[in-house]
Amino acid sequence: MTLTCRAAVLHQSGTPLSVERVSLAQPMPTDVVVKVRAAGLCHTDLEVIDGSLRYPLPMILGHEAAGVVEEIGSAVRDISVGDRVVLSWNPHCGHCFHCDRAQPILCETYLARGAEGVHFDGASKAQLVDGRNLAHLMFLGAFSEYVVLPAQQAIVVPNDIPFDRACLIGCGVMTGVGAALNVAAIGHGDTVMVTGCGAVGLAAVQGARLAGARCCYRCRPR
């Protein structure tokens, strides 16, 4: 049976999103179906809306989300129905030059298909009521009540993490914390300046503290 749900669709840059019913593709054996419980609005979504970042349209935006697994494909082994998951926008093949060197962000298939607005297998997973395929932002298209995606993009998290916090891990937190831990090479006792404390900046501050950066005098216990 075809699953239908509501999704926020961008038909043309510079115009509002349109909430409408869409039909989702049948999951493949390695896919999962996730009911989205919370999704963040990232600046990348806004860039697609205003046209400064060009993707095929019409498109379902959203790439920072968390939800509950509703269905799993026959080949899925490490995820169960009912699991809470954070959605990842970085699927990878696991066997190209960069994947073999633990650099999935540079996966050859990921980079080749990223601008096409399709899922990692090269297909659209949603259609409008008139039968037109919908593009998906960053292999997800999470501004939808449900998403169909490869199991590798559903990362199981503890049940006690609220959905509105868990969704931020999908982009803002891992971008900011990852920059502090993996790029800046912050050491114990270092002094760090973060310019701009939005979602990513605040996550960078937390990442700096995790790396051992020195706390300023204002927040030290007196």
Side-chain angles (χ1 to χ4, degrees):
M1 184 177 67
T2 301
L3 175 63
T4 62
C5 64
R6 293 180 301 171
V9 179
L10 179 68
H11 287 273
Q12 182 178 343
S13 60
T15 64
L17 301 181
S18 173
V19 178
E20 49 196 277
R21 295 206 71 81
V22 302
S23 58
L24 302 183
Q26 291 292 326
M28 301 295 287
T30 55
D31 286 344
V32 298
V33 180
V34 175
K35 182 176 182 179
V36 177
R37 296 293 301 276
L41 178 64
C42 177
H43 200 276
T44 303
D45 299 298
L46 298 177
E47 289 176 339
V48 180
I49 292 172
D50 68 24
S52 58
L53 183 60
R54 296 186 179 274
Y55 274 95
L57 299 176
M59 167 176 274
I60 304 176
L61 303 181
H63 63 281
E64 185 180 66
V68 178
V69 176
E70 295 278 314
E71 182 181 342
I72 63 173
S74 59
V76 175
R77 296 290 179 266
D78 297 328
I79 300 176
S80 301
V81 171
D83 283 345
R84 289 192 180 208
V85 292
V86 169
L87 305 188
S88 167
W89 46 260
N90 185 207
H92 51 282
C93 70
H95 53 72
C96 69
F97 176 87
H98 294 289
C99 284
D100 284 342
R101 287 155 180 79
Q103 297 175 310
I105 194 65
L106 299 176
C107 170
E108 294 171 6
T109 304
Y110 171 83
L111 293 177
R113 290 184 174 158
E116 298 175 4
V118 294
H119 271 261
F120 198 59
D121 60 5
S124 169
K125 301 290 187 178
Q127 291 184 328
L128 293 166
V129 292
D130 62 10
R132 284 182 294 161
N133 284 338
L134 282 162
H136 307 267
L137 180 61
M138 299 179 75
F139 301 97
L140 285 175
F143 290 169
S144 177
E145 291 178 311
Y146 293 87
V147 292
V148 178
L149 72 165
Q152 64 159 298
Q153 290 181 252
I155 313 303
V156 179
V157 296
N159 289 334
D160 58 354
I161 299 180
F163 289 110
D164 60 350
R165 311 296 198 279
C167 72
L168 301 177
I169 298 173
C171 184
V173 170
M174 74 175 186
T175 300
V177 173
L181 296 181
N182 302 322
V183 178
I186 298 168
H188 184 78
D190 284 350
T191 298
V192 175
M193 181 179 73
V194 176
T195 303
C197 284
V200 174
L202 290 172
V205 171
Q206 295 178 67
R209 288 293 290 140
L210 287 171
R214 184 174 55 184
C215 188
C216 71
Y217 77 94
R218 293 181 183 276
C219 58
R220 291 176 187 164
R222 290 184 172 85

